[in-house]
Amino acid sequence: MFTPQIHFLRCITRRLNAENRSRTDPLLLLSNPTDLRGLTLSETNVAHALLLKNRVLYSNIYAANNLIKAYSECSRTDYAFKLFDEIPIRNLVTWNLMILGCYKNSLFGDSWRIFCQMRNVGADMDEFTYGTVLSACGALQHVVRGVQVYGFVTKNGFFSNGYVRAGMIDLFSKCCKTEDALRVLYDVHCENVVCWNAVVSGAVKNKDNWVALEIFSQMCRHGSLIPNAFTFSSVLTACASVEELELGKSIHGRVIKVGSGVDVFVGTAIVDLYAKCGAMYDAIKQFKLMPMRNVVSWTAIISGFVQKACANPDMFGEALQIHCWILKIGLYLDPVVKASLINTYSKVGAISLSEIAFAETRDLKQVGIWANMISAFVQSEIYEKSIFLFQRMLKEGVTPDKFSVSSILSIIDRLTLGRQVHGYTLKVGLESEVSVGSSIFTMYSKCGNLEESLKAFEQVDRKDNVSWTSMISGFAEHGCPDKAVQLFREMGFENSILDEKILAAVLNACSALHSLKLGREIHGFALQYGFNERTIIDEALVNMYSKCGDLNSAMIVFHTMPFKGQFTWSSLISGLSQWGHIEEALQFFHEMLLSDISVDAFTISSVLGALAVSSKPEIGTQLHVYIVKIGLESEASVGSSLVMMYSKCGCIDDCGKVFRKIISPDLVCWTTMIASYAHNGKGLEALQLFDLMKKSGIEPDAVTFTGVLSACSHTGLVEEGYFHLNSMIRDYKIEPGQKHYACMVDLLGRAGKLEEAERFIVNMPIEPDTLVWETLLAACKVHGNREVGKLAAQKIMELQPNDAGAYVVRERCFLTFTFIVRSRKGCVFWCQAEFTWIERALKVGGHKVLQVTLQCPSGVDMDKASLRDRQ
């Protein structure tokens, strides 16, 4: 009779014959763990029965452990648990096999339970225990439990073990805690490529692609670490995600060098890189070279072709053909197909067909269709329709997903609407999504509300590089560069979280602060950590050095750049212009034109600014002709710079002609034109232009009112001056500064109302500075008011006690001197006069004067002067 036991014994016999073993003891098979691999469940049950029959199961722990492992490999952990509970004495291997068996069968909670039981009975643990339970915690995404286990690891001296650290890194990566994973990696010097791969892979999965690329860069600089196929497939995926084609090509070269290109996963990643970066010729070439292809490889190459077709407006006909084919085979109502069709039409420039496809959708409960239509409107810059569709989506009872919310937030520039959308994200719980959270604080930053932006940023649990860069850039671009630098210092980053975009953002903040010291520190940091020859950092360095006045360093970086874009040229030219190097600025501008680099409004404005302070009006006229030729005359920034240049030259009529050419003059344009009229003696025209500006809907700022008050001063309009001073406080909530009060003092002084000017200064809500008193002093000199002038001079000396000039002005202008006059006839007479009117004193009595001796009052340290043969 044939029984399973006989079949099992025959199997044992065949194995023993193959290995030249004794045929008399079948239990030898059970004493070797390799002999139980690949057994079926029935064969494992027979082995279990034999062990029980021979009464060696509970006395031979090695055989019992092999049986537990066999049950686990057959996915019968329930049998393994029964056997485990029956074993009287368990060793470390027993516990580890149970924890590992539960983990392999996705019973992660049971792995944790066995680990806790093991701790309670005081059993010894090794690196396999800790590594497996950490992997289980990672699968459960229980960070707290994982940290507890890692505490035991550190306490028991296993923290340097690669297997254990890889498990902890994997845990943090699965829980989207890349920074914590990096800390584990950097705890000790690590030469285990598995640990490094775990960080790289985790960063890619968490979309921290720049972190992954930086870790890979560190691996390459680490002499003993050799990347393998797993490493290459991860970093190539990162390059594809951020479309870093050049970096991807260099990694491809390394793959060829070490011979990892035959790996199907690496090959697929290479194809995907070239396809996503639009290099379809290279993608096809690499696809054909692959010795083996899987479905992912085919999908990558097909997706590349589809991406290229969708981005090409010439593929409109093909899109229609595919649409017809979809109708023919009956897939038109499929929501995924419909969403793709909407997206395709928008990318080929047929947004109206996207709307038709959306309108024909029957099932409008599919959020993906709404998200694609909203995204299509946003990408086509049809913002009003996108907002209307988002509102309609809410009315239809469809809950927006993170993609539709992020799309809407990206276009909002009105604070009220932005707050409403923010409130809705809080209501539906989308604020925890990284893309939504980043869009929220970017929206507040764009609306100029940096306080709300920072609050939203702090509430983002998982901040990626894009989040940090966006927040730092927001502070730098909206007038708070000091806060941008502070945020950079508070990042709490490990070295590898940095990328060139963050460094470029903080360098731009240094530019705004004119902090050369900090800028140099960032430059040194970038060089130290391998961020050299990165275009975006080089551009920021040229800009920083130029604005901070270190033009030599700016030109050194400029000349070492392999490719110089428009921004780099503009930054250097602007810096040279700003610091008075007019000739060099014009020379670089000439070289820029010869390099076929397109000239933008910023560059033109910089050159015009340089010409405004130079004595080269003919070059300014030539540049004006060039501006007209390239069509930038109507640009607001260029127009205002032309107005300023012509104003400095005194060509006020040309200023008016240029101003009238500007299509949409902004506040700077209006202010520049008002100031030009004021400084060139056309105060009434300036005030009329100010009224036109207000009627156009543009509100003035403090600089505008300086020009307006100056116009009132040049025209002698005292009442109008008071009116505009009060208006800036009452109507526009602008607190006047020293320049505004100085203009009013100048206005009163020109009108001869010196005592009123003195009272005005005394009643100022802020403490007057030297500018205000010097303005009054100048008016007193003109009108000969000695008493008020003495007061003004005294105030200047109090504010600037070390200024000898103020003391001399006071003594020379307002102290009385005795002039002894000797005439040709020999008569001697004297008179008292003030030094300012010395020429008048020289003609006392109509006599020709031979000599004048200054008899200075006591205490006045002034050389005596002789004037000979003066009329």
Side-chain angles (χ1 to χ4, degrees):
M1 183 177 180
F2 185 84
T3 64
Q5 288 85 351
I6 296 174
H7 173 70
F8 180 69
L9 289 173
R10 288 178 179 176
C11 292
I12 294 176
T13 303
R14 286 196 296 269
R15 294 187 187 186
L16 292 176
N17 288 336
E19 298 176 11
N20 295 322
R21 293 184 178 180
S22 172
R23 302 175 61 176
T24 59
D25 188 4
L27 293 179
L28 286 176
L29 176 66
L30 300 177
S31 66
N32 190 336
T34 60
D35 290 336
L36 294 181
R37 291 179 183 176
L39 294 182
T40 64
L41 178 60
S42 60
E43 291 173 339
T44 306
N45 286 332
V46 172
H48 192 177
L50 286 172
L51 287 169
L52 289 171
K53 183 178 180 179
N54 288 277
R55 300 181 180 180
V56 293
L57 179 60
Y58 302 124
S59 60
N60 189 337
I61 188 62
Y62 194 59
N65 288 342
N66 292 337
L67 194 58
I68 289 175
K69 183 179 180 182
Y71 277 129
S72 298
E73 289 178 349
C74 294
S75 300
R76 291 308 302 259
T77 51
D78 53 340
Y79 289 170
F81 269 115
K82 289 180 181 179
L83 178 58
F84 176 78
D85 292 336
E86 293 172 358
I87 298 175
I89 300 176
R90 306 158 185 159
N91 63 7
L92 176 60
V93 177
T94 312
W95 293 97
N96 284 349
L97 285 172
M98 282 305 303
I99 294 174
L100 180 62
C102 292
Y103 174 77
K104 286 185 175 181
N105 287 279
S106 301
L107 302 174
F108 310 119
D110 288 327
S111 290
W112 174 256
R113 183 174 59 81
I114 295 294
F115 173 77
C116 293
Q117 186 180 350
M118 189 177 182
R119 287 263 317 152
N120 292 335
V121 300
D124 292 333
M125 302 180 184
D126 62 4
E127 63 270 24
F128 300 106
T129 314
Y130 294 121
T132 307
V133 78
L134 282 172
S135 297
C137 291
L140 292 169
Q141 295 192 356
H142 278 306
V143 177
V144 176
R145 291 180 180 178
V147 172
Q148 291 175 349
V149 174
Y150 198 65
F152 301 143
V153 168
T154 305
K155 179 180 178 181
N156 296 325
F158 290 101
F159 63 90
S160 61
N161 182 270
Y163 180 62
V164 175
R165 297 175 71 219
M168 194 65 197
I169 290 170
D170 182 63
L171 164 65
F172 281 132
S173 298
K174 287 180 178 177
C175 297
C176 303
K177 294 183 175 294
T178 305
E179 293 181 42
D180 294 317
L182 291 171
R183 290 191 182 96
V184 175
L185 180 67
Y186 294 135
D187 274 346
V188 294
H189 180 72
C190 181
E191 296 186 358
N192 188 334
V193 72
V194 176
C195 294
W196 288 81
N197 283 348
V199 177
V200 173
S201 174
V204 173
K205 290 177 181 177
N206 295 329
K207 300 188 184 304
D208 293 325
N209 297 295
W210 290 108
V211 176
L213 294 174
E214 175 56 23
I215 290 292
F216 176 72
S217 177
Q218 292 182 22
M219 287 182 69
C220 295
R221 293 195 297 267
H222 204 299
S224 58
L225 285 172
I226 301 177
N228 55 24
F230 188 85
T231 319
F232 288 127
S233 61
S234 296
V235 294
L236 285 167
T237 301
C239 288
S241 298
V242 297
E243 298 184 7
E244 273 287 332
L245 181 58
E246 294 304 317
L247 180 58
K249 285 182 177 180
S250 66
I251 296 173
H252 184 190
R254 186 180 288 268
V255 168
I256 296 173
K257 183 178 179 180
V258 300
S260 295
V262 296
D263 184 271
V264 65
F265 298 105
V266 176
T268 301
I270 293 172
V271 172
D272 187 54
L273 164 71
Y274 287 120
K276 286 184 176 176
C277 293
M280 289 307 300
Y281 175 81
D282 293 316
I284 296 169
K285 180 181 177 181
Q286 295 304 315
F287 182 77
K288 291 180 178 180
L289 291 175
M290 291 181 67
M292 183 177 66
R293 309 180 187 105
N294 58 14
V295 66
V296 181
S297 311
W298 285 97
T299 303
I301 195 69
I302 293 172
S303 298
F305 280 118
V306 171
Q307 178 182 353
K308 185 178 180 182
C310 290
N312 186 359
D314 295 334
M315 299 297 291
F316 176 69
E318 286 77 1
L320 283 176
Q321 292 175 9
I322 296 174
H323 190 173
C324 294
W325 182 70
I326 291 171
L327 289 169
K328 181 179 179 180
I329 63 176
L331 288 176
Y332 186 64
L333 297 179
D334 185 276
V336 177
V337 175
K338 180 60 70 70
S340 299
L341 191 62
I342 292 170
N343 188 36
T344 299
Y345 276 134
S346 68
K347 287 187 176 180
V348 298
I351 188 67
S352 59
L353 293 180
S354 294
E355 291 186 80
I356 293 173
F358 176 80
E360 293 176 348
T361 303
R362 294 181 182 177
D363 184 10
L364 285 177
K365 296 300 181 182
Q366 296 292 331
V367 66
I369 296 176
W370 292 87
N372 274 272
M373 193 66 240
I374 292 172
S375 177
F377 280 136
V378 171
Q379 292 173 3
S380 300
E381 299 182 359
I382 309 176
Y383 300 144
E384 291 184 3
K385 285 189 175 182
S386 62
I387 294 174
F388 173 78
L389 191 63
F390 183 77
Q391 293 171 336
R392 181 187 161 192
M393 183 181 184
L394 298 178
K395 292 178 181 178
E396 294 282 346
V398 180
T399 303
D401 60 2
K402 61 181 180 181
F403 302 106
S404 51
V405 172
S406 298
S407 296
I408 287 297
L409 285 169
S410 68
I411 64 171
I412 292 177
D413 56 3
R414 289 175 290 168
L415 195 57
T416 303
L417 179 60
R419 282 174 173 160
Q420 291 174 351
V421 177
H422 183 192
Y424 181 80
T425 62
L426 294 173
K427 180 180 178 181
V428 298
L430 282 174
E431 78 283 355
S432 60
E433 293 286 346
V434 178
S435 59
V436 176
S438 299
S439 298
I440 289 171
F441 69 74
T442 302
M443 176 273 297
Y444 280 121
S445 177
K446 187 164 53 177
C447 294
N449 194 327
L450 294 179
E451 183 178 353
E452 293 292 335
S453 179
L454 184 59
K455 287 181 181 178
F457 174 78
E458 291 173 344
Q459 290 172 0
V460 176
D461 294 331
R462 179 178 152 236
K463 302 178 181 69
D464 57 8
N465 281 25
V466 176
S467 303
W468 287 107
T469 305
S470 178
M471 195 67 240
I472 292 172
S473 299
F475 276 131
E477 293 169 3
H478 289 83
C480 299
D482 52 337
K483 292 185 178 180
V485 173
Q486 181 183 355
L487 188 65
F488 175 72
R489 288 172 172 163
E490 293 175 356
M491 281 175 61
F493 54 83
E494 296 294 341
N495 295 336
S496 57
I497 198 173
L498 287 178
D499 60 27
E500 55 262 39
K501 292 183 180 179
I502 291 179
L503 292 175
V506 76
L507 282 171
N508 290 334
C510 296
S511 302
L513 288 171
H514 298 283
S515 177
L516 182 60
K517 180 177 181 294
L518 179 58
R520 284 174 173 167
E521 291 176 359
I522 301 297
H523 188 184
F525 184 87
L527 292 174
Q528 180 181 356
Y529 287 91
F531 286 104
N532 54 327
E533 297 183 1
R534 302 287 179 93
T535 302
I536 186 174
I537 292 183
D538 288 340
E539 288 179 345
L541 284 170
V542 172
N543 183 47
M544 182 273 296
Y545 281 127
S546 297
K547 287 187 177 178
C548 294
D550 188 354
L551 298 176
N552 288 332
S553 296
M555 284 191 278
I556 289 173
V557 177
F558 178 84
H559 288 303
T560 56
M561 292 178 66
F563 173 76
K564 305 171 185 67
Q566 184 185 79
F567 178 76
T568 309
W569 284 95
S570 298
S571 298
L572 185 59
I573 293 170
S574 174
L576 291 168
S577 303
Q578 176 186 349
W579 296 97
H581 299 269
I582 311 301
E583 296 293 337
E584 291 89 340
L586 294 175
Q587 179 62 35
F588 273 98
F589 179 68
H590 180 66
E591 292 180 13
M592 182 179 181
L593 296 178
L594 295 178
S595 302
D596 291 330
I597 302 293
S598 59
V599 180
D600 61 354
F602 178 77
T603 312
I604 292 289
S605 300
S606 300
V607 176
L608 288 171
L611 293 173
V613 297
S614 70
S615 57
K616 299 180 183 294
E618 67 283 355
I619 298 180
T621 304
Q622 295 174 13
L623 185 56
H624 189 178
V625 174
Y626 176 76
I627 291 170
V628 174
K629 180 181 178 181
I630 63 176
L632 287 178
E633 188 180 23
S634 60
E635 289 285 335
S637 59
V638 175
S640 60
S641 297
L642 279 171
V643 169
M644 183 179 296
M645 182 195 70
Y646 282 124
S647 175
K648 295 284 186 180
C649 299
C651 305
I652 193 64
D653 292 337
D654 291 329
C655 291
K657 292 177 183 178
V658 170
F659 181 79
R660 287 188 288 273
K661 292 286 185 180
I662 303 172
I663 295 177
S664 299
D666 58 9
L667 176 61
V668 176
C669 295
W670 288 98
T671 301
T672 304
M673 193 64 222
I674 291 170
S676 299
Y677 275 139
H679 294 157
N680 285 275
K682 293 184 176 292
L684 291 176
E685 289 86 345
L687 295 178
Q688 290 172 357
L689 192 65
F690 179 63
D691 290 335
L692 287 175
M693 185 193 82
K694 291 189 292 183
K695 290 178 181 178
S696 70
I698 296 180
E699 290 192 356
D701 63 0
V703 180
T704 313
F705 274 106
T706 301
V708 170
L709 293 174
S710 178
C712 293
S713 175
H714 284 81
T715 317
L717 302 174
V718 176
E719 295 303 322
E720 286 79 358
Y722 277 117
F723 170 79
H724 289 298
L725 182 68
N726 293 329
S727 175
M728 67 183 295
I729 303 171
R730 180 185 64 250
D731 300 329
Y732 300 101
K733 305 298 185 291
I734 301 174
E735 292 297 326
Q738 298 288 352
K739 289 185 178 180
H740 301 103
Y741 290 118
C743 286
M744 284 300 301
V745 172
D746 184 56
L747 170 59
L748 295 170
R750 287 173 184 264
K753 300 183 177 183
L754 299 178
E755 287 78 9
E756 183 177 346
E758 179 187 350
R759 291 194 300 273
F760 178 85
I761 296 174
V762 172
N763 293 323
M764 281 172 52
I766 60 176
E767 195 68 28
D769 64 359
T770 55
L771 174 64
V772 176
W773 289 111
E774 286 173 352
T775 304
L776 179 62
L777 178 60
C780 292
K781 288 163 64 177
V782 172
H783 294 283
N785 191 318
R786 184 193 310 172
E787 296 303 320
V788 177
K790 285 182 179 180
L791 173 64
Q794 185 64 38
K795 291 293 184 181
I796 295 172
M797 292 172 58
E798 290 175 0
L799 291 171
Q800 296 181 341
N802 297 325
D803 187 356
Y807 183 82
V808 172
V809 167
R810 174 178 179 269
E811 298 298 342
R812 286 188 174 182
C813 295
F814 298 105
L815 290 180
T816 302
F817 292 81
T818 301
F819 294 84
I820 302 176
V821 183
R822 301 180 184 275
S823 70
R824 291 181 184 274
K825 297 180 180 180
C827 63
V828 178
F829 58 93
W830 64 272
C831 69
Q832 286 187 333
E834 294 175 357
F835 193 80
T836 307
W837 288 273
I838 189 170
E839 292 293 336
R840 197 180 307 166
L842 292 176
K843 291 186 177 182
V844 175
H847 296 280
K848 292 184 178 181
V849 179
L850 293 176
Q851 182 179 7
V852 176
T853 303
L854 298 181
Q855 292 187 342
C856 302
S858 61
V860 178
D861 185 13
M862 184 182 298
D863 293 337
K864 292 183 178 181
S866 288
L867 302 176
R868 297 183 179 276
D869 297 326
R870 293 288 303 274
Q871 294 296 326

